[in-house]
Amino acid sequence: VPMKLSALMGVSLKLGRFYSSNAAPTTKLFINGKMVESQTKDWIDLHNPATNEVVTRVPKSTKKEMEDAVESAKEAFKSWSKTSIITRQQIMFKYQNIIKANMKELAENITTEQGKTLADAEGDVLRGLQVVEHACGMPSQLLGETLPGVAKDLDIVSYRVPLGVTASITPFNFPAMVPLWAIPMAITCGNTHVIKPSERDPGACMMLVEMLQEAGCPPGVVNVIHGAHDAVDFICDHPAIRAISFVGSDTAGQYIYERGAKNGKRVQSNMGAKNHGVIVADANKSNTLNQLVGAAFGAAGQRCMALSTAVFVGEAKEWMPELKARAEQLKVNAGHVPGTDLGPVISPQSKKRIEELIQSGVDEGAELLLDGRNLKVPGYEKGNFVGPTILTNVKPSMRCYREEIFGPVLVCLYASTLDEAIDIINNNPYGNGTAIFTNNGATARKFVHEIDCGQVGVNVPIPVPLPMFSFTGSRGSFRGDTHFYGKQGVHFYTQVKTVTQLWRDTDVTHSQAAVSMPVMR
Ligand code: NAD
């Protein structure tokens, strides 16, 4: 029977927090299996997006603390890389149970720090949990290759071996899922790990690493440091860190990819997006509009796979009034209020930016079909709320089309043919995801094969692959060559060692040394 973490540990679920009398609680570091209070003088206030009250203060770790975290991961690697794969698997089985048992507490933390609704926060945890479940099968995923008798009495075998200390740098929008894209994969492959979660909502990550320890993961295998730019530079520059998994914005992602690569590290960098949904009039109208509205406005549009752009082909243009009617029905409120469809956006700055982008659309000639600005939520007047917004008649030259808005704003374009819709999407620099809504198999097939995006949905609005596959965003949405989780995740977190071996009963005695290149015939 899965036990609640609070019962297992006999402590409050305000994990990683330290309360002092007159200041907001602080978020701790996690180094060598211990929650550590930072000695820094530099703190970042974390606000609840629904109220803008300070929830916790997040430290900008000192250099020494970050060094300690890497040192602890380096030391732990010596024994962790030698633990049996079966032992690592057993830890994952237990981890899965503990996460499930604490799902509600994790979701509450996410809603408080990030703002999304409780149901959506559980989805955040669940999509990460699926990677833990996938990592339970690591023994078979780590199988190498063998070829006996390559030459006379000569066999070749390759092993997938861990890299050493690995790291991840994660965004605010999925505070549980994205850390869980990296941690289970990295450690079941035999690596140790240092994670720098988003300074805007590190609470779920703190809970997750404590749960991992409870599941039997030894101290030092996973460590957490906090901070912003300095912590990122530290990770990119530290010689002991072999690989970096990054998820976040373009600016940070390109910077980390370049700086990490320059220092000889393997980097996978998942970045921004502008995902288009293509609506063909032969689709099931009701389902399509519901899926579109859910995927555009869910999580207040703060998903890298949100369908933030809709291309209506031909007569599907007539569906706009019904699209608006469905969007208007959504309830905007604090994430923990029952019945809420979308919560606040992450910060006042983000709200301001979203509202400016809406205005830029109006100024450049788009039609504002639904305006979610100036929304007041009773009881949460200080929250960062933006209601569902629809801009129509948008052109690819407009700023609201070119930039990732990352808010509850759906920009709509019209195309006369499917070819025109495909051209629009293929000319957009991003390649994270796209979806088509149609009941015609030939239309769907043409779209799937001609579209240049890494993740394609057919009547599926948010085609985030399950972890037996990989998260395969492409073009401007990704830097690197091996993706997160799935087979590619295993490749990212391992290197191949190939052993060529010759064993003979009776050795052939050579009269002199062979100096030309052995051809192994
Ligand atoms: P962000 O880039 O601001 O932050 C991500 C991480 O990078 C944080 O840990 C942050 O501390 C660090 N960081 C921020 N700015 C930096 C800089 N200039 N230099 C170095 N490091 C920096 O991203 P965010 O706002 O937290 O997340 C939203 C973004 O993430 C969106 O663009 C979204 O599309 C993207 N995202 C992409 C995926 C994907 O899989 N492609 C998934 C989730 C989110």
Side-chain angles (χ1 to χ4, degrees):
V1 179
M3 285 182 79
K4 292 272 186 188
L5 186 68
S6 48
L8 287 166
M9 306 189 66
V11 294
S12 137
L13 266 159
K14 294 280 177 211
L15 294 169
R17 298 292 157 71
F18 173 82
Y19 293 87
S20 66
S21 55
N22 55 0
T26 58
T27 294
K28 292 190 181 182
L29 309 160
F30 190 66
I31 299 172
N32 203 22
K34 292 197 179 65
M35 290 288 172
V36 181
E37 178 74 0
S38 176
Q39 295 307 306
T40 188
K41 303 248 172 313
D42 214 351
W43 296 84
I44 303 163
D45 283 346
L46 186 157
H47 300 90
N48 178 335
T51 60
N52 273 305
E53 281 162 9
V54 178
V55 177
T56 176
R57 293 184 308 136
V58 181
K60 286 190 179 170
S61 316
T62 64
K63 182 91 188 300
K64 157 91 172 57
E65 289 160 350
M66 297 192 283
E67 292 284 2
D68 288 349
V70 175
E71 206 42 53
S72 135
K74 234 170 107 179
E75 195 52 34
F77 181 72
K78 292 179 192 159
S79 49
W80 179 248
S81 55
K82 295 197 184 80
T83 45
S84 73
I85 179 71
I86 303 291
T87 303
R88 293 183 222 146
Q89 182 189 39
Q90 290 301 323
I91 293 171
M92 282 298 118
F93 285 138
K94 286 196 193 127
Y95 193 32
Q96 181 218 28
N97 263 325
I98 297 175
I99 293 176
K100 273 188 182 164
N102 291 281
M103 185 73 91
K104 292 230 163 343
E105 287 80 356
L106 277 161
E108 276 166 22
N109 179 286
I110 293 171
T111 299
T112 305
E113 293 193 356
Q114 200 272 356
K116 64 177 77 174
T117 66
L118 286 169
D120 198 34
E122 283 200 27
D124 185 334
V125 180
L126 203 79
R127 290 307 302 252
L129 181 63
Q130 287 169 339
V131 181
V132 173
E133 289 166 349
H134 179 71
C136 290
M138 196 53 82
S140 26
Q141 295 175 58
L142 272 179
L143 286 176
E145 295 175 325
T146 64
L147 191 59
V150 177
K152 186 163 168 32
D153 300 325
L154 187 117
D155 306 324
I156 303 187
V157 50
S158 76
Y159 301 105
R160 288 215 156 265
V161 297
L163 301 165
V165 181
T166 58
S168 54
I169 300 168
T170 61
F172 83 83
N173 67 328
F174 281 102
M177 180 184 82
V178 176
L180 289 175
W181 278 3
I183 294 172
M185 298 303 289
I187 69 169
T188 47
C189 285
N191 303 286
T192 55
H193 202 70
V194 176
I195 178 166
K196 192 210 83 66
S198 172
E199 64 277 25
R200 301 198 257 184
D201 51 15
C205 180
M206 299 313 292
M207 294 172 80
L208 286 166
V209 294
E210 204 154 16
M211 290 176 202
L212 184 58
Q213 179 145 305
E214 190 53 39
C217 187
V221 172
V222 177
N223 303 272
V224 188
I225 59 173
H226 299 293
H229 217 299
D230 286 353
V232 166
D233 284 353
F234 174 86
I235 288 173
C236 292
D237 296 346
H238 200 294
I241 294 174
R242 298 283 315 276
I244 305 172
S245 292
F246 169 82
V247 180
S249 65
D250 296 352
T251 317
Q254 282 162 14
Y255 173 81
I256 291 166
Y257 185 76
E258 282 166 27
R259 190 158 177 155
K262 206 175 192 177
N263 287 315
K265 297 180 203 318
R266 192 178 278 192
V267 186
Q268 52 179 191
S269 188
N270 272 5
M271 301 178 294
K274 202 79 183 170
N275 310 304
H276 299 64
V278 173
I279 299 95
V280 185
D282 63 22
N284 176 315
K285 192 205 273 188
S286 180
N287 282 353
T288 300
L289 291 177
N290 282 339
Q291 289 189 320
L292 189 57
V293 165
F297 304 121
Q302 298 174 117
R303 291 183 185 133
C304 65
M305 285 290 278
L307 273 188
S308 55
T309 310
V311 186
F312 289 82
V313 180
E315 291 157 21
K317 190 179 179 178
E318 312 300 326
W319 298 3
M320 296 312 291
E322 281 177 69
L323 175 76
K324 177 183 175 187
R326 279 165 216 252
E328 274 173 334
Q329 281 165 18
L330 298 179
K331 294 188 185 61
V332 184
N333 211 328
H336 66 271
V337 174
T340 302
D341 294 305
L342 50 150
V345 297
I346 190 71
S347 64
Q349 295 78 2
S350 171
K351 175 181 153 100
K352 184 163 171 274
R353 194 181 151 271
I354 293 164
E355 293 185 340
E356 277 169 15
L357 278 162
I358 296 170
Q359 188 57 42
S360 78
V362 175
D363 295 345
E364 289 181 80
E367 184 194 334
L368 189 54
L369 188 65
L370 182 62
D371 188 357
R373 294 173 296 179
N374 305 315
L375 182 87
K376 285 279 167 268
V377 175
Y380 297 94
E381 285 77 7
K382 294 197 175 138
N384 316 318
F385 294 97
V386 182
T389 299
I390 303 175
L391 283 163
T392 66
N393 228 339
V394 170
K395 302 281 180 272
S397 58
M398 294 179 186
R399 203 182 137 213
C400 66
Y401 175 80
R402 286 184 282 111
E403 287 184 28
E404 182 184 44
I405 302 178
F406 225 57
V409 183
L410 179 64
V411 303
C412 301
L413 291 81
Y414 301 127
S416 352
T417 60
L418 180 62
D419 282 317
E420 202 186 306
I422 291 173
D423 275 350
I424 293 173
I425 301 172
N426 287 351
N427 281 320
N428 187 286
Y430 290 112
N432 214 32
T434 186
I436 188 165
F437 300 92
T438 178
N439 267 336
N440 183 319
T443 304
R445 187 178 187 283
K446 175 183 165 75
F447 183 77
V448 165
H449 291 281
E450 294 186 12
I451 209 72
D452 192 4
C453 287
Q455 305 178 105
V456 186
V458 176
N459 299 319
V460 173
I462 304 185
V464 174
L466 283 158
M468 57 294 281
F469 292 88
S470 302
F471 189 99
T472 53
S474 64
R475 295 197 283 136
S477 300
F478 181 68
R479 291 276 179 282
D481 60 1
T482 38
H483 290 277
F484 281 76
Y485 61 76
K487 267 192 206 126
Q488 300 208 14
V490 175
H491 287 199
F492 183 78
Y493 279 116
T494 53
Q495 56 196 342
V496 179
K497 182 188 278 182
T498 311
V499 183
T500 304
Q501 44 197 345
L502 186 137
W503 292 108
R504 255 176 207 152
D505 265 354
T506 49
D507 209 356
V508 180
T509 308
H510 298 284
S511 52
Q512 69 181 95
V515 290
S516 51
M517 181 68 188
V519 290
M520 299 188 185
R521 288 232 177 85

